[in-house]
Amino acid sequence: MELRHLRCFLAVAEELHFARAAERLHIEQSPLSRAIKELEDELGVTLFSRTTRSTRLTRAGAMFLEHVPRIFAALQQARDSVKAAANGFHGQLRIALSDGITPSRLPALLALCRQEEPEVEIRFFEVPLSQQIRGLNDDLYDVGFAQSDEVGDGIVAMPAWSDALMVAVPARHPLLVHKRIPLDELLRYPLVLCDPRACEGHAKQVERVLRRADTEPLIAERVASCDLMMALVSAGFALGLAGAAHISTSREPGVVARPLASRVPPLTTYLLRPIGEPSDILLRFIERVQAIESPEAGKPVQGYHLDPPEKPEP
């Protein structure tokens, strides 16, 4: 099996059309078909089901597709490691990010890493949570950040930072009469929430809060980033739910942060790493993560003042 076989397979699997795949690879269709046939003969399975009208992956082909991109990712990382060594770096840390990391923490963490260990190259990969977990298990990443501790066997999840969950409200919205917004009142209005496919951990934490009410939320839009959420809130499209730091660092005008009236758990960011003895580089990185100040829910965050919590109702 050669890399050209895998490149041909990946092109056909993504295009599901031999002519388009051949054009993408800048080759004729006949050598592409021959490469796929050679790959199928070596594996002993049929990877594609072809008719005069369509091309689709077989079950074996779909399973093979789950592995091939990781092969190319590992190959690219090997190239990057060699280049890093040639440029004077003496180590590398591969960090996967899922669900978004609280924006106030990442610059401080990077600055601390550069100050204390500038000879270590740091590379970031923004991936969905499921891909991060696979990558940690397959040694594609050394460590990751996500807002979920449901990571299965083989991965250690440790709480890194917490951030107060807040309601992002457009300026001059009727709900701003409340210093702390009741959940039932919030659910009278449409919401813009993070898409669970892009921000799985964040979406699950928010969903647990919304389940406390009997009212079904009216979800106007699902978005892949808090930046887009803030843009839609600023435009008066809907209300949002996000961490206090994401709201306070948003560049969108006319977005006001309000806490919920009921006590809710903060959004927690977890550090994920494979089970086993971490390297010295990773141990020092974890110490820096723990050294970054983590404001607890209810404390000031980047100049934004949270009202003191109300006494719980009897």
Side-chain angles (χ1 to χ4, degrees):
M1 186 184 304
E2 301 175 17
L3 284 176
R4 66 180 180 88
H5 292 118
L6 299 182
R7 290 192 182 96
C8 290
F9 168 78
L10 193 58
V12 177
E14 291 177 348
E15 298 290 344
L16 291 179
H17 193 281
F18 272 74
R20 287 198 299 267
E23 183 178 355
R24 168 174 155 181
L25 295 170
H26 306 291
I27 62 175
E28 297 294 328
Q29 190 170 335
S30 57
L32 173 62
S33 298
R34 187 163 56 249
I36 296 298
K37 181 66 167 59
E38 290 170 358
L39 182 59
E40 289 178 328
D41 290 344
E42 181 169 346
L43 293 173
V45 297
T46 300
L47 298 171
F48 296 98
S49 176
R50 299 177 64 180
T51 68
T52 55
R53 294 187 176 183
S54 68
T55 298
R56 61 181 179 84
L57 284 162
T58 62
R59 184 174 180 182
M63 293 181 66
F64 193 55
L65 181 59
E66 293 181 7
H67 297 279
V68 171
R70 298 207 292 273
I71 296 172
F72 285 109
L75 180 61
Q76 184 60 48
Q77 288 191 13
R79 290 173 178 153
D80 293 339
S81 295
V82 171
K83 291 179 181 178
N87 290 330
F89 290 105
H90 301 302
Q92 187 182 70
L93 197 61
R94 302 162 299 172
I95 304 174
L97 303 176
S98 304
D99 300 318
I101 184 173
T102 304
S104 60
R105 301 330 192 309
L106 189 55
L109 177 59
L110 286 177
L112 196 56
C113 290
R114 285 175 61 87
Q115 176 185 339
E116 296 184 354
E117 214 162 7
E119 70 277 8
V120 174
E121 182 194 32
I122 296 181
R123 302 190 63 228
F124 288 97
F125 305 84
E126 290 187 278
V127 294
L129 177 60
S130 58
Q131 185 176 333
Q132 178 180 156
I133 293 171
R134 286 198 302 268
L136 288 168
N137 281 314
D138 293 344
D139 194 31
L140 292 180
Y141 316 123
D142 302 301
V143 66
F145 290 98
Q147 290 185 337
S148 176
D149 60 351
E150 299 175 9
V151 292
D153 298 333
I155 304 294
V156 175
M158 55 176 285
W161 303 308
S162 292
D163 198 24
L165 178 64
M166 306 287 286
V167 184
V169 187
R172 297 182 297 278
H173 192 278
L175 279 182
L176 292 179
V177 299
H178 301 280
K179 288 187 176 180
R180 305 179 69 85
I181 298 176
L183 184 57
D184 289 340
E185 287 293 311
L186 170 70
L187 294 180
R188 293 176 52 202
Y189 298 91
L191 303 176
V192 53
L193 302 177
C194 284
D195 190 329
R197 292 170 297 182
C199 306
E200 182 179 337
H202 180 280
K204 283 184 177 179
Q205 291 196 51
V206 171
E207 183 183 359
R208 292 190 193 107
V209 172
L210 297 179
R211 282 180 185 168
R212 296 183 173 193
D214 296 329
T215 307
E216 189 72 19
L218 175 60
I219 302 173
E221 190 62 78
R222 296 276 191 180
V223 296
S225 71
C226 284
D227 289 339
L228 181 54
M229 179 190 294
M230 294 305 109
L232 295 178
V233 171
S234 176
F237 189 78
L239 306 174
L241 281 166
H246 270 116
I247 300 175
S248 64
T249 57
S250 170
R251 297 181 180 180
E252 297 295 335
V255 177
V256 181
R258 283 284 193 272
L260 287 164
S262 56
R263 289 184 177 274
V264 297
L267 288 172
T268 301
T269 297
Y270 296 89
L271 182 147
L272 311 182
R273 66 170 181 86
I275 286 178
E277 191 66 28
S279 67
D280 290 341
I281 291 176
L282 181 53
L283 276 175
R284 291 191 292 270
F285 177 78
I286 293 173
E287 290 174 358
R288 293 186 198 106
V289 171
Q290 294 171 332
I292 301 296
E293 184 180 355
S294 177
E296 297 173 357
K299 290 188 178 181
V301 180
Q302 291 199 343
Y304 176 78
H305 178 72
L306 300 181
D307 295 324
E310 296 174 354
K311 294 182 180 180
E313 297 179 3

